[in-house]
Amino acid sequence: GAGVSQSPRYKVTKRGQDVALRCDPISGHVSLYWYRQALGQGPEFLTYFNYEAQQDKSGLPNDRFSAERPEGSISTLTIQRTEQRDSAMYRCASSSQSNQPQHFGDGTRLSIL
Amino acid sequence: AQKVTQAQTEISVVEKEDVTLDCVYETRDTTYYLFWYKQPPSGELVFLIRRNSFDEQNEISGRYSWNFQKSTSSFNFTITASQVVDSAVYFCALSGFLTGGGNKLTFGTGTQLKVEL
């Protein structure tokens, strides 16, 4: 595709529910990254993949957060048993190779009630 | 640990003024990349530039220019003859090859630039 595509754009859910956020990277991009951005802050790294392999998940806050990229293309970030503090903008980025600039999607705004 | 500091929270200028956005970074890596991203009111995050730590040449792209000074650990961004369309939040970011694996971006808190008529 022309750019990184994320869905849904907005997600409102009740505390305790599980949510799955989807990222479709730029076609052919090997590396895919997830970040979380709180209001008024810069994005914070969560995890990244090269092809289907999760290379670094050091930024995932706790074991309620997980991510996968089973075929090396689309990725899903899953948050189980959501809490209000999980409310944020979740951004996905991709790059052609791991040492190339990252291009971001428009993000998913997650609100936990 | 890596750190990026953007001390200017908000800057307001009148159109056609020049404006400089400051960025100071900390890293123990000897090889690293520095970045600037723009976040307009619509919310997307737009890549502007990447510089390698070995390349201290200043760069100019139209009305944008970047001043990288390793001696002061700074990577400042200047917009010449600012326009209303430049109004956005600008983020400086860093990735280091050792501490960040060359991939993980560490962002500053951003500078909100408001350009008024």
Side-chain angles (χ1 to χ4, degrees), chain A residues 33 35 37 40-43 45 48 56 58 91 98-106, chain B residues 33 35 37 39 42-45 47 50 91 97 100-105 107-109:
Chain A
Y33 313 80
Y35 291 82
Q37 185 176 12
Q41 300 294 315
F45 172 82
Y48 98 92
D56 185 343
S58 62
R91 294 194 184 271
S98 60
N99 62 351
Q100 294 301 307
Q102 298 173 28
H103 297 272
F104 284 80
D106 289 345
Chain B
Y33 286 116
F35 303 79
Y37 282 84
Q39 186 176 335
S42 49
E44 70 269 32
L45 208 53
F47 167 76
R50 180 185 75 162
F91 290 98
F97 278 85
N103 308 96
K104 187 187 310 185
L105 290 176
F107 284 83
T109 51

mmCIF file of all heavy atoms in Angstrom, chain A residues 33 35 37 40-43 45 48 56 58 91 98-106, chain B residues 33 35 37 39 42-45 47 50 91 97 100-105 107-109:
data_model
loop_
_atom_site.group_PDB
_atom_site.id
_atom_site.type_symbol
_atom_site.label_atom_id
_atom_site.label_comp_id
_atom_site.label_asym_id
_atom_site.label_seq_id
_atom_site.Cartn_x
_atom_site.Cartn_y
_atom_site.Cartn_z
ATOM 1 N N TYR A 33 7.230 -1.817 13.641
ATOM 2 C CA TYR A 33 7.402 -1.338 15.009
ATOM 3 C C TYR A 33 6.053 -0.914 15.593
ATOM 4 O O TYR A 33 5.207 -0.379 14.877
ATOM 5 C CB TYR A 33 8.327 -0.111 15.045
ATOM 6 C CG TYR A 33 9.588 -0.265 14.230
ATOM 7 C CD1 TYR A 33 9.574 -0.088 12.851
ATOM 8 C CD2 TYR A 33 10.799 -0.574 14.838
ATOM 9 C CE1 TYR A 33 10.720 -0.221 12.101
ATOM 10 C CE2 TYR A 33 11.957 -0.709 14.095
ATOM 11 C CZ TYR A 33 11.905 -0.536 12.723
ATOM 12 O OH TYR A 33 13.046 -0.679 11.983
ATOM 13 N N TYR A 35 4.528 1.553 18.752
ATOM 14 C CA TYR A 35 4.795 2.571 19.748
ATOM 15 C C TYR A 35 3.479 2.960 20.419
ATOM 16 O O TYR A 35 2.402 2.788 19.850
ATOM 17 C CB TYR A 35 5.400 3.839 19.106
ATOM 18 C CG TYR A 35 6.787 3.683 18.562
ATOM 19 C CD1 TYR A 35 7.008 3.126 17.307
ATOM 20 C CD2 TYR A 35 7.897 4.102 19.293
ATOM 21 C CE1 TYR A 35 8.291 2.981 16.801
ATOM 22 C CE2 TYR A 35 9.188 3.970 18.790
ATOM 23 C CZ TYR A 35 9.367 3.404 17.546
ATOM 24 O OH TYR A 35 10.648 3.264 17.048
ATOM 25 N N GLN A 37 1.716 6.391 22.353
ATOM 26 C CA GLN A 37 1.898 7.820 22.559
ATOM 27 C C GLN A 37 0.805 8.351 23.468
ATOM 28 O O GLN A 37 -0.377 8.363 23.100
ATOM 29 C CB GLN A 37 1.895 8.568 21.215
ATOM 30 C CG GLN A 37 2.194 10.051 21.339
ATOM 31 C CD GLN A 37 2.287 10.751 19.997
ATOM 32 O OE1 GLN A 37 1.922 10.197 18.956
ATOM 33 N NE2 GLN A 37 2.778 11.972 19.989
ATOM 34 N N GLY A 40 0.319 14.612 24.736
ATOM 35 C CA GLY A 40 1.346 15.582 25.104
ATOM 36 C C GLY A 40 2.735 15.007 25.232
ATOM 37 O O GLY A 40 3.660 15.692 25.697
ATOM 38 N N GLN A 41 2.907 13.764 24.832
ATOM 39 C CA GLN A 41 4.211 13.105 24.924
ATOM 40 C C GLN A 41 4.643 12.608 23.551
ATOM 41 O O GLN A 41 3.845 12.535 22.614
ATOM 42 C CB GLN A 41 4.141 11.919 25.889
ATOM 43 C CG GLN A 41 3.740 12.285 27.303
ATOM 44 C CD GLN A 41 4.780 13.143 27.982
ATOM 45 O OE1 GLN A 41 5.974 12.860 27.910
ATOM 46 N NE2 GLN A 41 4.354 14.204 28.635
ATOM 47 N N GLY A 42 5.909 12.229 23.453
ATOM 48 C CA GLY A 42 6.382 11.578 22.250
ATOM 49 C C GLY A 42 6.069 10.095 22.295
ATOM 50 O O GLY A 42 5.799 9.539 23.368
ATOM 51 N N PRO A 43 6.093 9.436 21.154
ATOM 52 C CA PRO A 43 5.842 7.991 21.137
ATOM 53 C C PRO A 43 6.877 7.236 21.950
ATOM 54 O O PRO A 43 8.051 7.625 21.985
ATOM 55 C CB PRO A 43 5.945 7.648 19.647
ATOM 56 C CG PRO A 43 5.700 8.930 18.925
ATOM 57 C CD PRO A 43 6.263 9.991 19.804
ATOM 58 N N PHE A 45 8.530 3.366 22.525
ATOM 59 C CA PHE A 45 8.704 2.074 21.866
ATOM 60 C C PHE A 45 8.051 0.946 22.659
ATOM 61 O O PHE A 45 8.168 0.883 23.890
ATOM 62 C CB PHE A 45 10.200 1.800 21.718
ATOM 63 C CG PHE A 45 10.541 0.423 21.238
ATOM 64 C CD1 PHE A 45 10.495 0.116 19.886
ATOM 65 C CD2 PHE A 45 10.900 -0.569 22.135
ATOM 66 C CE1 PHE A 45 10.827 -1.158 19.439
ATOM 67 C CE2 PHE A 45 11.235 -1.840 21.694
ATOM 68 C CZ PHE A 45 11.191 -2.131 20.345
ATOM 69 N N TYR A 48 9.333 -4.582 18.214
ATOM 70 C CA TYR A 48 9.518 -4.536 16.781
ATOM 71 C C TYR A 48 9.821 -5.908 16.207
ATOM 72 O O TYR A 48 10.286 -6.807 16.906
ATOM 73 C CB TYR A 48 10.547 -3.491 16.370
ATOM 74 C CG TYR A 48 11.952 -3.979 16.096
ATOM 75 C CD1 TYR A 48 12.344 -4.343 14.806
ATOM 76 C CD2 TYR A 48 12.901 -3.994 17.099
ATOM 77 C CE1 TYR A 48 13.631 -4.739 14.543
ATOM 78 C CE2 TYR A 48 14.190 -4.391 16.844
ATOM 79 C CZ TYR A 48 14.562 -4.763 15.569
ATOM 80 O OH TYR A 48 15.848 -5.155 15.314
ATOM 81 N N ASP A 56 12.572 -7.503 19.490
ATOM 82 C CA ASP A 56 12.717 -6.754 20.737
ATOM 83 C C ASP A 56 11.326 -6.465 21.269
ATOM 84 O O ASP A 56 10.519 -5.883 20.565
ATOM 85 C CB ASP A 56 13.484 -5.455 20.455
ATOM 86 C CG ASP A 56 13.795 -4.648 21.720
ATOM 87 O OD1 ASP A 56 13.180 -4.890 22.778
ATOM 88 O OD2 ASP A 56 14.667 -3.764 21.638
ATOM 89 N N SER A 58 11.098 -5.332 24.578
ATOM 90 C CA SER A 58 11.465 -4.767 25.871
ATOM 91 C C SER A 58 10.548 -3.628 26.312
ATOM 92 O O SER A 58 10.484 -3.300 27.490
ATOM 93 C CB SER A 58 12.912 -4.272 25.835
ATOM 94 O OG SER A 58 13.049 -3.249 24.869
ATOM 95 N N ARG A 91 0.665 3.592 17.820
ATOM 96 C CA ARG A 91 1.183 3.854 16.483
ATOM 97 C C ARG A 91 2.021 2.692 15.986
ATOM 98 O O ARG A 91 2.804 2.111 16.733
ATOM 99 C CB ARG A 91 2.037 5.113 16.477
ATOM 100 C CG ARG A 91 1.260 6.388 16.755
ATOM 101 C CD ARG A 91 2.095 7.596 16.409
ATOM 102 N NE ARG A 91 1.417 8.848 16.740
ATOM 103 C CZ ARG A 91 0.614 9.487 15.924
ATOM 104 N NH1 ARG A 91 0.355 9.016 14.724
ATOM 105 N NH2 ARG A 91 0.063 10.635 16.301
ATOM 106 N N SER A 98 15.946 -2.752 8.668
ATOM 107 C CA SER A 98 15.948 -2.372 10.071
ATOM 108 C C SER A 98 16.720 -1.088 10.340
ATOM 109 O O SER A 98 16.505 -0.450 11.345
ATOM 110 C CB SER A 98 16.515 -3.509 10.925
ATOM 111 O OG SER A 98 17.840 -3.789 10.537
ATOM 112 N N ASN A 99 17.615 -0.684 9.466
ATOM 113 C CA ASN A 99 18.386 0.525 9.722
ATOM 114 C C ASN A 99 17.912 1.704 8.881
ATOM 115 O O ASN A 99 18.627 2.687 8.716
ATOM 116 C CB ASN A 99 19.877 0.265 9.458
ATOM 117 C CG ASN A 99 20.145 -0.106 8.015
ATOM 118 O OD1 ASN A 99 19.221 -0.324 7.250
ATOM 119 N ND2 ASN A 99 21.410 -0.190 7.641
ATOM 120 N N GLN A 100 16.737 1.611 8.336
ATOM 121 C CA GLN A 100 16.176 2.672 7.512
ATOM 122 C C GLN A 100 15.127 3.466 8.293
ATOM 123 O O GLN A 100 14.589 2.974 9.284
ATOM 124 C CB GLN A 100 15.569 2.097 6.237
ATOM 125 C CG GLN A 100 16.600 1.471 5.312
ATOM 126 C CD GLN A 100 17.652 2.480 4.901
ATOM 127 O OE1 GLN A 100 17.340 3.562 4.409
ATOM 128 N NE2 GLN A 100 18.916 2.134 5.096
ATOM 129 N N PRO A 101 14.818 4.693 7.844
ATOM 130 C CA PRO A 101 13.837 5.513 8.578
ATOM 131 C C PRO A 101 12.481 4.824 8.709
ATOM 132 O O PRO A 101 12.044 4.122 7.792
ATOM 133 C CB PRO A 101 13.733 6.771 7.718
ATOM 134 C CG PRO A 101 15.038 6.849 7.003
ATOM 135 C CD PRO A 101 15.433 5.429 6.724
ATOM 136 N N GLN A 102 11.855 5.047 9.826
ATOM 137 C CA GLN A 102 10.554 4.469 10.097
ATOM 138 C C GLN A 102 9.451 5.414 9.640
ATOM 139 O O GLN A 102 9.499 6.617 9.915
ATOM 140 C CB GLN A 102 10.410 4.180 11.594
ATOM 141 C CG GLN A 102 11.434 3.161 12.086
ATOM 142 C CD GLN A 102 11.409 2.992 13.582
ATOM 143 O OE1 GLN A 102 10.379 3.186 14.230
ATOM 144 N NE2 GLN A 102 12.554 2.601 14.140
ATOM 145 N N HIS A 103 8.457 4.868 8.985
ATOM 146 C CA HIS A 103 7.310 5.633 8.505
ATOM 147 C C HIS A 103 6.086 5.176 9.284
ATOM 148 O O HIS A 103 5.802 3.977 9.347
ATOM 149 C CB HIS A 103 7.125 5.435 7.003
ATOM 150 C CG HIS A 103 8.300 5.946 6.224
ATOM 151 N ND1 HIS A 103 8.388 7.257 5.799
ATOM 152 C CD2 HIS A 103 9.442 5.343 5.834
ATOM 153 C CE1 HIS A 103 9.540 7.418 5.173
ATOM 154 N NE2 HIS A 103 10.206 6.285 5.178
ATOM 155 N N PHE A 104 5.388 6.156 9.843
ATOM 156 C CA PHE A 104 4.312 5.857 10.775
ATOM 157 C C PHE A 104 2.936 5.868 10.126
ATOM 158 O O PHE A 104 2.685 6.636 9.186
ATOM 159 C CB PHE A 104 4.320 6.877 11.915
ATOM 160 C CG PHE A 104 5.407 6.660 12.921
ATOM 161 C CD1 PHE A 104 6.707 7.077 12.668
ATOM 162 C CD2 PHE A 104 5.141 6.026 14.123
ATOM 163 C CE1 PHE A 104 7.721 6.860 13.600
ATOM 164 C CE2 PHE A 104 6.144 5.808 15.062
ATOM 165 C CZ PHE A 104 7.431 6.225 14.797
ATOM 166 N N GLY A 105 2.062 5.036 10.678
ATOM 167 C CA GLY A 105 0.646 5.093 10.333
ATOM 168 C C GLY A 105 -0.037 6.193 11.128
ATOM 169 O O GLY A 105 0.581 6.867 11.954
ATOM 170 N N ASP A 106 -1.340 6.365 10.891
ATOM 171 C CA ASP A 106 -2.101 7.415 11.562
ATOM 172 C C ASP A 106 -2.467 7.057 12.994
ATOM 173 O O ASP A 106 -2.932 7.912 13.747
ATOM 174 C CB ASP A 106 -3.370 7.733 10.778
ATOM 175 C CG ASP A 106 -3.055 8.464 9.477
ATOM 176 O OD1 ASP A 106 -1.920 8.967 9.340
ATOM 177 O OD2 ASP A 106 -3.931 8.535 8.604
ATOM 178 N N TYR B 33 21.694 7.418 15.153
ATOM 179 C CA TYR B 33 20.962 8.246 14.204
ATOM 180 C C TYR B 33 20.115 9.253 14.972
ATOM 181 O O TYR B 33 19.602 8.961 16.054
ATOM 182 C CB TYR B 33 20.006 7.402 13.349
ATOM 183 C CG TYR B 33 20.671 6.555 12.290
ATOM 184 C CD1 TYR B 33 20.604 5.168 12.337
ATOM 185 C CD2 TYR B 33 21.334 7.138 11.217
ATOM 186 C CE1 TYR B 33 21.177 4.387 11.353
ATOM 187 C CE2 TYR B 33 21.917 6.366 10.232
ATOM 188 C CZ TYR B 33 21.837 4.990 10.308
ATOM 189 O OH TYR B 33 22.405 4.214 9.325
ATOM 190 N N PHE B 35 16.788 12.043 14.352
ATOM 191 C CA PHE B 35 15.628 12.210 13.483
ATOM 192 C C PHE B 35 14.814 13.435 13.911
ATOM 193 O O PHE B 35 14.835 13.843 15.079
ATOM 194 C CB PHE B 35 14.679 11.009 13.597
ATOM 195 C CG PHE B 35 15.285 9.678 13.286
ATOM 196 C CD1 PHE B 35 16.070 9.013 14.215
ATOM 197 C CD2 PHE B 35 15.040 9.073 12.066
ATOM 198 C CE1 PHE B 35 16.624 7.768 13.938
ATOM 199 C CE2 PHE B 35 15.577 7.825 11.777
ATOM 200 C CZ PHE B 35 16.373 7.177 12.712
ATOM 201 N N TYR B 37 10.636 14.450 13.332
ATOM 202 C CA TYR B 37 9.319 14.110 12.807
ATOM 203 C C TYR B 37 8.378 15.284 13.066
ATOM 204 O O TYR B 37 8.517 15.996 14.055
ATOM 205 C CB TYR B 37 8.748 12.873 13.512
ATOM 206 C CG TYR B 37 9.316 11.555 13.048
ATOM 207 C CD1 TYR B 37 10.510 11.058 13.575
ATOM 208 C CD2 TYR B 37 8.661 10.792 12.088
ATOM 209 C CE1 TYR B 37 11.025 9.839 13.148
ATOM 210 C CE2 TYR B 37 9.169 9.567 11.655
ATOM 211 C CZ TYR B 37 10.357 9.110 12.192
ATOM 212 O OH TYR B 37 10.866 7.899 11.769
ATOM 213 N N GLN B 39 4.288 16.367 13.535
ATOM 214 C CA GLN B 39 2.938 15.888 13.811
ATOM 215 C C GLN B 39 1.983 17.066 13.657
ATOM 216 O O GLN B 39 1.803 17.860 14.572
ATOM 217 C CB GLN B 39 2.838 15.289 15.221
ATOM 218 C CG GLN B 39 1.486 14.652 15.502
ATOM 219 C CD GLN B 39 1.429 13.977 16.865
ATOM 220 O OE1 GLN B 39 2.450 13.571 17.427
ATOM 221 N NE2 GLN B 39 0.244 13.844 17.402
ATOM 222 N N SER B 42 -3.689 17.223 12.300
ATOM 223 C CA SER B 42 -4.427 16.026 11.868
ATOM 224 C C SER B 42 -3.920 14.755 12.545
ATOM 225 O O SER B 42 -4.592 13.726 12.501
ATOM 226 C CB SER B 42 -4.344 15.883 10.352
ATOM 227 O OG SER B 42 -3.006 16.020 9.923
ATOM 228 N N GLY B 43 -2.748 14.816 13.165
ATOM 229 C CA GLY B 43 -2.307 13.725 14.031
ATOM 230 C C GLY B 43 -1.305 12.742 13.472
ATOM 231 O O GLY B 43 -0.714 11.978 14.239
ATOM 232 N N GLU B 44 -1.105 12.729 12.158
ATOM 233 C CA GLU B 44 -0.129 11.766 11.648
ATOM 234 C C GLU B 44 1.285 12.185 12.025
ATOM 235 O O GLU B 44 1.533 13.320 12.411
ATOM 236 C CB GLU B 44 -0.267 11.595 10.126
ATOM 237 C CG GLU B 44 0.171 12.796 9.309
ATOM 238 C CD GLU B 44 -0.954 13.770 9.024
ATOM 239 O OE1 GLU B 44 -1.876 13.899 9.864
ATOM 240 O OE2 GLU B 44 -0.887 14.425 7.963
ATOM 241 N N LEU B 45 2.208 11.272 11.910
ATOM 242 C CA LEU B 45 3.604 11.523 12.258
ATOM 243 C C LEU B 45 4.410 11.417 10.966
ATOM 244 O O LEU B 45 4.483 10.347 10.357
ATOM 245 C CB LEU B 45 4.062 10.477 13.276
ATOM 246 C CG LEU B 45 5.166 10.804 14.262
ATOM 247 C CD1 LEU B 45 4.865 12.078 15.023
ATOM 248 C CD2 LEU B 45 5.312 9.658 15.248
ATOM 249 N N PHE B 47 7.869 11.763 8.775
ATOM 250 C CA PHE B 47 9.326 11.747 8.811
ATOM 251 C C PHE B 47 9.873 12.947 8.047
ATOM 252 O O PHE B 47 9.450 13.225 6.929
ATOM 253 C CB PHE B 47 9.821 10.442 8.193
ATOM 254 C CG PHE B 47 11.286 10.407 7.884
ATOM 255 C CD1 PHE B 47 12.213 10.247 8.902
ATOM 256 C CD2 PHE B 47 11.744 10.535 6.582
ATOM 257 C CE1 PHE B 47 13.569 10.209 8.618
ATOM 258 C CE2 PHE B 47 13.090 10.498 6.289
ATOM 259 C CZ PHE B 47 14.007 10.332 7.310
ATOM 260 N N ARG B 50 16.786 12.183 8.728
ATOM 261 C CA ARG B 50 17.628 11.317 9.549
ATOM 262 C C ARG B 50 19.089 11.687 9.303
ATOM 263 O O ARG B 50 19.488 11.887 8.163
ATOM 264 C CB ARG B 50 17.425 9.853 9.185
ATOM 265 C CG ARG B 50 18.279 8.902 10.015
ATOM 266 C CD ARG B 50 18.140 7.471 9.558
ATOM 267 N NE ARG B 50 18.857 7.208 8.314
ATOM 268 C CZ ARG B 50 19.172 5.977 7.899
ATOM 269 N NH1 ARG B 50 18.838 4.936 8.633
ATOM 270 N NH2 ARG B 50 19.796 5.797 6.751
ATOM 271 N N PHE B 91 8.889 16.555 16.753
ATOM 272 C CA PHE B 91 9.582 15.632 17.644
ATOM 273 C C PHE B 91 10.994 15.356 17.137
ATOM 274 O O PHE B 91 11.186 15.069 15.951
ATOM 275 C CB PHE B 91 8.839 14.300 17.736
ATOM 276 C CG PHE B 91 7.531 14.368 18.467
ATOM 277 C CD1 PHE B 91 6.346 14.467 17.763
ATOM 278 C CD2 PHE B 91 7.494 14.330 19.848
ATOM 279 C CE1 PHE B 91 5.123 14.523 18.427
ATOM 280 C CE2 PHE B 91 6.277 14.382 20.521
ATOM 281 C CZ PHE B 91 5.095 14.485 19.815
ATOM 282 N N PHE B 97 22.916 2.204 18.147
ATOM 283 C CA PHE B 97 23.159 0.854 17.659
ATOM 284 C C PHE B 97 23.410 -0.138 18.777
ATOM 285 O O PHE B 97 23.135 -1.311 18.618
ATOM 286 C CB PHE B 97 24.332 0.860 16.681
ATOM 287 C CG PHE B 97 23.904 1.270 15.325
ATOM 288 C CD1 PHE B 97 23.824 2.618 15.010
ATOM 289 C CD2 PHE B 97 23.533 0.346 14.374
ATOM 290 C CE1 PHE B 97 23.399 3.021 13.755
ATOM 291 C CE2 PHE B 97 23.109 0.745 13.121
ATOM 292 C CZ PHE B 97 23.039 2.080 12.801
ATOM 293 N N GLY B 100 20.061 0.806 21.621
ATOM 294 C CA GLY B 100 18.750 0.738 20.982
ATOM 295 C C GLY B 100 18.677 -0.285 19.878
ATOM 296 O O GLY B 100 17.657 -0.414 19.218
ATOM 297 N N GLY B 101 19.769 -0.990 19.659
ATOM 298 C CA GLY B 101 19.770 -1.986 18.602
ATOM 299 C C GLY B 101 19.621 -1.388 17.242
ATOM 300 O O GLY B 101 19.351 -2.098 16.264
ATOM 301 N N GLY B 102 19.796 -0.086 17.133
ATOM 302 C CA GLY B 102 19.709 0.567 15.837
ATOM 303 C C GLY B 102 18.306 0.725 15.335
ATOM 304 O O GLY B 102 18.090 1.189 14.222
ATOM 305 N N ASN B 103 17.337 0.345 16.123
ATOM 306 C CA ASN B 103 15.978 0.365 15.616
ATOM 307 C C ASN B 103 15.000 1.116 16.499
ATOM 308 O O ASN B 103 14.092 1.774 16.033
ATOM 309 C CB ASN B 103 15.458 -1.064 15.478
ATOM 310 C CG ASN B 103 16.398 -1.928 14.678
ATOM 311 O OD1 ASN B 103 17.219 -2.642 15.239
ATOM 312 N ND2 ASN B 103 16.333 -1.832 13.388
ATOM 313 N N LYS B 104 15.202 1.004 17.800
ATOM 314 C CA LYS B 104 14.266 1.561 18.749
ATOM 315 C C LYS B 104 14.445 3.074 18.775
ATOM 316 O O LYS B 104 15.517 3.578 19.059
ATOM 317 C CB LYS B 104 14.583 0.976 20.123
ATOM 318 C CG LYS B 104 13.641 1.287 21.219
ATOM 319 C CD LYS B 104 14.193 0.777 22.555
ATOM 320 C CE LYS B 104 14.645 -0.652 22.506
ATOM 321 N NZ LYS B 104 15.050 -1.144 23.843
ATOM 322 N N LEU B 105 13.392 3.808 18.469
ATOM 323 C CA LEU B 105 13.456 5.266 18.518
ATOM 324 C C LEU B 105 13.105 5.756 19.914
ATOM 325 O O LEU B 105 12.106 5.339 20.495
ATOM 326 C CB LEU B 105 12.487 5.886 17.515
ATOM 327 C CG LEU B 105 12.819 5.741 16.030
ATOM 328 C CD1 LEU B 105 11.713 6.327 15.174
ATOM 329 C CD2 LEU B 105 14.128 6.434 15.714
ATOM 330 N N PHE B 107 12.067 9.187 21.633
ATOM 331 C CA PHE B 107 11.559 10.497 21.249
ATOM 332 C C PHE B 107 11.674 11.492 22.393
ATOM 333 O O PHE B 107 11.607 11.120 23.567
ATOM 334 C CB PHE B 107 10.077 10.412 20.869
ATOM 335 C CG PHE B 107 9.817 9.822 19.514
ATOM 336 C CD1 PHE B 107 9.770 8.453 19.329
ATOM 337 C CD2 PHE B 107 9.598 10.645 18.417
ATOM 338 C CE1 PHE B 107 9.513 7.903 18.075
ATOM 339 C CE2 PHE B 107 9.342 10.111 17.165
ATOM 340 C CZ PHE B 107 9.299 8.740 16.995
ATOM 341 N N GLY B 108 11.797 12.767 22.022
ATOM 342 C CA GLY B 108 11.616 13.842 22.983
ATOM 343 C C GLY B 108 10.129 14.072 23.209
ATOM 344 O O GLY B 108 9.278 13.405 22.611
ATOM 345 N N THR B 109 9.829 15.038 24.048
ATOM 346 C CA THR B 109 8.434 15.315 24.377
ATOM 347 C C THR B 109 7.758 16.233 23.365
ATOM 348 O O THR B 109 6.566 16.489 23.454
ATOM 349 C CB THR B 109 8.310 15.937 25.772
ATOM 350 O OG1 THR B 109 9.222 17.035 25.852
ATOM 351 C CG2 THR B 109 8.641 14.927 26.863
#
